[in-house]
Amino acid sequence: IGWGKKMVEAWNADHPDEQVKAQEIPAGASSEEVIGAAITAGNAPCLVFNTSPAAVPGFQRQGGLVNLSDFEDGDDYITGRSGDLADQYRSEDGDFYQLPWKSNPVMIFYNKALFEKAGLDPENPKLSTYDEFLETARTLKEKGVSEYAINPAPTSEFFQSWFDFYPLYAAQTGGTQLLEDGKATFDDDNGTAVADFWRTLYEEKLAGNEQYQGDAFADGYAAMAIVGPWAISVYGDSIEWGAVPVPTKDGTSAGDTWTFSDAKNVGMFTACKSKGTAWDVLKFATSEEQDGEWLKATGQMPLRQDLTGTYPDYFADNPAYEQFGDQAARTVEVPNVVGSVEIWQAFRDGYSKSVIFGETPVDQFLSDTAAEVDKLAAG
């Protein structure tokens, strides 16, 4: 919010004839619900700087989003800023209905004090392969330093798989999305490896299958968590933490590991009366200067090429963020398909039953859910 106010002030100071105003997204069950209602009512704002990529196909189907590729420099600006990663944000017609804005690439945070207490090396933890990770998790549990080794939310919301299965699947596959060319990708050896890994954690009670009221990592209830760079300021000095990339079956070097982006983007809405000005504001707000201001204010990663090379002073002054800045170049987004939320809900339901609660075999979950997802993707 602070960044938004300053950005608008900076624009208005330079554009006396094109004044813009900003407001916080009104409260609701979710931003997506509020935005969807505004599209229906025909009173959506020009730009929303909190557009979930999973919601874009639905907003597009509602007729709510402007095709940014229709601007003369639309495609060139977006791909010039974000590079190859931008392609994940194209809609099925190949055009952009969202500008890739900022990401929170997720990694494993671990509590150094708890690792040390368990007799583990807090500076070089063994967390790279599934076998190492499980061995480390068992040691944490056996030594009684925390209730669980890691404790992602075991709840049923469609987006929860973005913080357990999906980052590891992205890493294991070297950057594959849940669907490609309208078909599920996860019913294979890689999907099995990731699901089996999480199943083992739940089966051995190294992760909990009941919701924890509070922040499990902050409270020491879990020794590890899957989080983005926002966690650095949240945990600050209250926890001596370290960060490593998410694990893969046989281990992958940090520079080659992919993860989930947890991005939020900018949409321009069809109710906008001044689309030309809105496009200019959008480019101003995502310029190198404003992206630098955003990075300084929030520690969240602008979706732009060569982030660490563009802002060397920031990363030199804030070394804790450098890992995340490097990781931002290798992120996987949710597939840009109609019915995205329903697809993720179907996946979560199958995953919960099989992986979290052990009620169905993993291979059955993967094949049944892949078939269901294919059907949903086909409309």
Side-chain angles (χ1 to χ4, degrees):
I1 301 300
W3 169 84
K5 286 178 176 165
K6 284 184 180 162
M7 182 274 289
V8 166
E9 279 170 19
W11 168 272
N12 284 339
D14 288 345
H15 299 85
D17 299 331
E18 295 172 293
Q19 297 287 288
V20 299
K21 56 180 187 288
Q23 72 174 91
E24 209 170 327
I25 294 174
S30 67
S31 302
E32 290 71 43
E33 188 177 271
V34 173
I35 296 164
I39 292 171
T40 303
N43 61 5
C46 281
L47 299 169
V48 176
F49 286 76
N50 192 30
T51 301
S52 166
V56 164
F59 294 160
Q60 199 180 327
R61 182 178 259 187
Q62 272 184 277
L65 287 169
V66 172
N67 183 347
L68 301 177
S69 297
D70 283 346
F71 290 103
E72 196 177 336
D73 58 345
D75 265 43
D76 287 347
Y77 180 75
I78 291 170
T79 55
R81 179 174 172 271
S82 299
D84 292 342
L85 283 183
D87 285 337
Q88 297 183 74
Y89 299 97
R90 290 184 188 273
S91 289
E92 288 180 326
D93 63 2
D95 288 349
F96 289 111
Y97 292 80
Q98 58 186 321
L99 179 134
W101 178 37
K102 53 102 170 179
S103 71
N104 278 291
V106 299
M107 299 178 77
I108 302 282
F109 253 41
Y110 67 95
N111 185 318
K112 288 186 177 182
L114 294 182
F115 270 57
E116 196 158 15
K117 205 171 164 189
L120 297 163
D121 184 346
E123 298 309 323
N124 297 291
K126 292 193 169 172
L127 295 168
S128 180
T129 71
Y130 290 170
D131 286 345
E132 283 180 349
F133 193 106
L134 289 167
E135 206 49 51
T136 294
R138 289 174 188 129
T139 301
L140 290 163
K141 182 87 175 170
E142 281 159 16
K143 300 288 186 183
V145 298
S146 56
E147 187 71 24
Y148 293 110
I150 193 166
N151 201 56
T155 50
S156 61
E157 297 93 348
F158 75 91
F159 54 81
Q160 294 297 2
S161 293
W162 303 346
F163 305 99
D164 46 35
F165 179 87
Y166 203 40
L168 273 67
Y169 184 68
Q172 181 62 24
T173 57
T176 299
Q177 291 185 302
L178 196 78
L179 276 87
E180 294 198 341
D181 301 321
K183 295 281 183 197
T185 59
F186 54 83
D187 184 15
D188 65 0
D189 290 348
N190 289 319
T192 303
V194 176
D196 280 343
F197 168 75
W198 280 112
R199 178 70 209 122
T200 304
L201 284 163
Y202 285 108
E203 199 170 21
E204 296 186 17
K205 299 193 167 28
L206 303 169
N209 62 12
E210 286 182 24
Q211 186 174 9
Y212 178 73
Q213 302 299 330
D215 183 325
F217 188 69
D219 298 346
Y221 186 73
M224 294 182 279
I226 294 185
V227 293
W230 53 265
I232 295 172
S233 60
V234 169
Y235 299 124
D237 298 329
S238 62
I239 293 175
E240 200 190 342
W241 54 266
V244 294
V246 298
T248 55
K249 188 171 186 289
D250 299 318
T252 307
S253 69
D256 293 321
T257 302
W258 288 70
T259 191
F260 171 58
S261 60
D262 192 20
K264 282 290 193 292
N265 294 337
V266 188
M268 184 186 300
F269 290 80
T270 48
C272 183
K273 302 265 194 302
S274 307
K275 295 181 180 67
T277 297
W279 175 239
D280 289 340
V281 171
L282 181 47
K283 288 188 290 183
F284 175 83
T286 55
S287 61
E288 188 174 316
E289 184 185 355
Q290 283 299 326
D291 278 348
E293 293 299 323
W294 170 263
L295 187 58
K296 266 190 285 190
T298 68
Q300 296 179 36
M301 305 294 149
L303 276 162
R304 64 163 48 243
Q305 298 189 71
D306 188 23
L307 195 60
T308 50
T310 305
Y311 305 105
D313 294 349
Y314 172 81
F315 288 108
D317 293 344
N318 300 275
Y321 287 90
E322 189 158 9
Q323 281 174 283
F324 289 94
D326 179 62
Q327 182 68 76
R330 296 175 304 283
T331 55
V332 173
E333 191 46 74
V334 301
N336 191 334
V337 291
V338 174
S340 179
V341 172
E342 292 82 356
I343 284 168
W344 281 104
Q345 191 61 64
F347 183 86
R348 187 63 180 177
D349 293 345
Y351 179 90
S352 298
K353 206 172 168 187
S354 172
V355 176
I356 298 176
F357 296 106
E359 291 168 18
T360 53
V362 161
D363 55 355
Q364 186 188 329
F365 143 61
L366 291 170
S367 60
D368 288 356
T369 305
E372 192 179 347
V373 162
D374 286 352
K375 202 182 293 181
L376 286 167

